[in-house]
Amino acid sequence: MANVHYRIVEHEGGWAYKLEDVFSERYATHDEAREAAERAAAEQRLPGVTEDIEYQDEAGDWHEEMSLGKDRPETDVTG
């Protein structure tokens, strides 16, 4: 199972949450950024619908897989 880590950081004169190299919008307070990160983390854990997916890899080859709606990541928020 995948792990998704959100981190609260100072950003553009305020606060944001960060997932890998991507920042959220700027929030005025640390608490607002943390609340938004907690909501995003909770949404990541919600089960979805089982679907067939098709994607192209870096080599240009196409793959077909079944994505189980219950296969959701574990999430956490730090900072």
Side-chain angles (χ1 to χ4, degrees):
M1 180 174 289
N3 292 306
V4 177
H5 306 283
Y6 294 89
R7 192 164 46 100
I8 309 304
V9 297
E10 290 186 59
H11 183 63
E12 296 182 344
W15 296 89
Y17 61 88
K18 187 174 179 183
L19 177 59
E20 295 181 6
D21 293 332
V22 179
F23 290 92
S24 70
E25 63 188 273
R26 187 185 70 79
Y27 295 91
T29 68
H30 182 278
D31 287 345
E32 288 175 344
R34 183 160 188 94
E35 289 171 11
E38 293 285 354
R39 282 192 306 273
E43 288 175 10
Q44 287 288 317
R45 294 187 302 266
L46 292 176
V49 177
T50 298
E51 298 183 82
D52 292 324
I53 60 171
E54 188 174 315
Y55 65 94
Q56 188 175 21
D57 64 21
E58 292 176 1
D61 297 321
W62 284 92
H63 303 271
E64 293 181 12
E65 293 181 4
M66 181 178 288
S67 175
L68 300 176
K70 65 180 182 173
D71 185 21
R72 305 307 304 153
E74 293 182 12
T75 62
D76 62 58
V77 177
T78 60

